[in-house]
Amino acid sequence: MKAMVLQRPNTPLVLEERPLPIPRAGELRLKVEACGVCRTDLHVVDGELTQPKLPIIPGHEIVGRVDAIGAAVTGFSPGQRVGVPWLGHTCGHCPYCMSARENLCDDPLFTGYTRDGGYATHAVADASYCFPLPESGDPATLAPLLCAGLIGWRTLKMAGPAVVIGIYGFGAAAHIIAQVAIAQGKRVHAFVRPGDQAAADFALSLGAASAQDSDAPPPEPLDAALIFAPVGALVPRALAATKKGGAVVCGGIHMSDIPSFPYALLWEERRLLSVANLTREDAREFLALAPTLPLKMHTARYPLAKANEALADLREGRLQGAAVLIP
């Protein structure tokens, strides 16, 4: 197999030839059709997530076909298309797993961070954390659903019954969940990196009611704000834009430090929340919902060997929608 491998943080990925991995009991081996390039991958590569298994094959938005099946696996067949998300394994017995909060597991494994991921021609995954996907259709348009879509979905749910929603940072997750929110009858206002007219135009093309720089006030008070950009300074801005009793939900796994802000921004029962990982129930819900919606997936496609280029384009904000590697 071929894989793009991170040897050390803050170094380019290296293309390696490796023996085909053998799935152990409870695992599947997949022939990768596509793997999304997520901002979390950047946090791993850039050393902002500090405990990777090294060397590591990044990538946790994997679409593939079952290539080999380990012992004790049921419910999957050779050639079946499945998806693999960020949450790759949980212990099943800690207090969080035992209370339907496996996203907070005390002893988890994460795809592309603490177990090898999908920047490769083949990948091995825990079968319990693989999800059936539509057999037809373009795998590149399915890949972003497996993190950008899933985390966006959990973030939107945590916002509660909001009607007017601000989305800060209009990348892969935002471009999916904005469409979901609009389909649900919500009004979406997009906030983009100051001066990024391409991102503003992109948000408007997907049905956003407005699009403005992230340091601008909203056209109307927000019921909730969803923050996908890894910029801590957006938190007080989003709180200031949100109504009494509203919610600000931070959807990313990493964010720069949040500056101090006056208590008045949080008072009046505003809620400040973070999203941690996802649960398998989130995946089942969203992957069942997505095919029923008129989602327009925007992808920039790169061959596997161009993974460093894809990461650089994402880091510098040179693409709209989601980047996807095609082995």
Side-chain angles (χ1 to χ4, degrees):
M1 60 174 275
K2 294 181 179 180
M4 294 296 289
V5 181
L6 178 68
Q7 299 287 353
R8 299 186 312 280
N10 294 300
T11 63
L13 305 184
V14 178
L15 181 62
E16 293 185 2
E17 291 269 1
R18 292 186 172 187
L20 272 179
I22 305 300
R24 297 174 296 184
E27 293 183 332
L28 300 174
R29 185 176 72 210
L30 309 179
K31 190 175 188 304
V32 177
E33 293 185 294
C35 185
V37 178
C38 178
R39 184 161 292 277
T40 301
D41 300 335
L42 271 184
H43 296 319
V44 174
V45 171
D46 292 348
E48 293 164 332
L49 294 181
T50 59
Q51 297 180 335
K53 176 190 79 70
L54 293 174
I56 189 72
I57 302 171
H60 57 273
E61 296 178 325
I62 307 171
V63 177
R65 298 279 182 180
V66 176
D67 184 56
I69 300 176
V73 174
T74 60
F76 294 95
S77 57
Q80 182 180 359
R81 177 181 276 173
V82 300
V84 183
W86 168 250
L87 186 65
H89 177 80
T90 55
C91 72
H93 55 75
C94 72
Y96 299 104
C97 286
M98 297 298 289
S99 58
R101 295 179 292 167
E102 65 183 9
N103 60 305
L104 301 177
C105 174
D106 283 334
D107 192 21
L109 291 175
F110 298 112
T111 312
Y113 182 47
T114 56
R115 67 177 297 159
D116 282 333
Y119 285 18
T121 57
H122 295 77
V124 168
D126 185 328
S128 298
Y129 297 80
C130 295
F131 299 93
L133 294 175
E135 291 295 321
S136 61
D138 182 357
T141 63
L142 295 173
L145 299 178
L146 291 158
C147 184
L150 293 181
I151 291 299
W153 175 243
R154 186 171 180 85
T155 303
L156 181 62
K157 288 197 302 179
M158 290 180 70
V163 175
V164 181
I165 294 178
I167 298 182
Y168 289 78
F170 212 83
H175 108 279
I176 296 172
I177 212 61
Q179 296 180 72
V180 175
I182 292 165
Q184 293 177 339
K186 302 178 189 296
R187 193 157 60 254
V188 170
H189 298 287
F191 296 85
V192 304
R193 185 183 306 182
D196 191 347
Q197 190 59 45
D201 291 343
F202 181 49
L204 293 171
S205 76
L206 294 176
S210 75
Q212 48 271 311
D213 290 349
S214 60
D215 55 2
E220 60 180 320
L222 306 175
D223 296 320
L226 316 181
I227 302 179
F228 294 111
V231 181
L234 293 175
V235 170
R237 294 178 197 168
L239 283 168
T242 302
K243 293 178 184 176
K244 294 181 287 187
V248 173
V249 188
C250 302
I253 196 170
H254 172 83
M255 181 180 276
S256 60
D257 288 349
I258 300 170
S260 63
F261 57 86
Y263 176 62
L265 294 182
L266 186 61
W267 188 58
E268 297 173 316
E269 300 192 353
R270 294 175 181 86
R271 294 173 293 133
L272 178 58
L273 307 164
S274 71
V275 172
N277 314 313
L278 65 136
T279 68
R280 284 173 285 183
E281 185 58 29
D282 293 326
R284 286 187 282 267
E285 285 177 357
F286 182 69
L287 293 174
L289 173 67
T292 71
L293 301 174
L295 294 179
K296 298 178 181 178
M297 302 298 295
H298 293 256
T299 59
R301 303 165 193 233
Y302 301 78
L304 178 62
K306 296 289 187 181
N308 289 310
E309 181 180 318
L311 288 165
D313 287 347
L314 177 59
R315 185 184 292 109
E316 300 301 324
R318 291 192 289 257
L319 55 86
Q320 306 301 331
V324 181
L325 299 180
I326 308 296

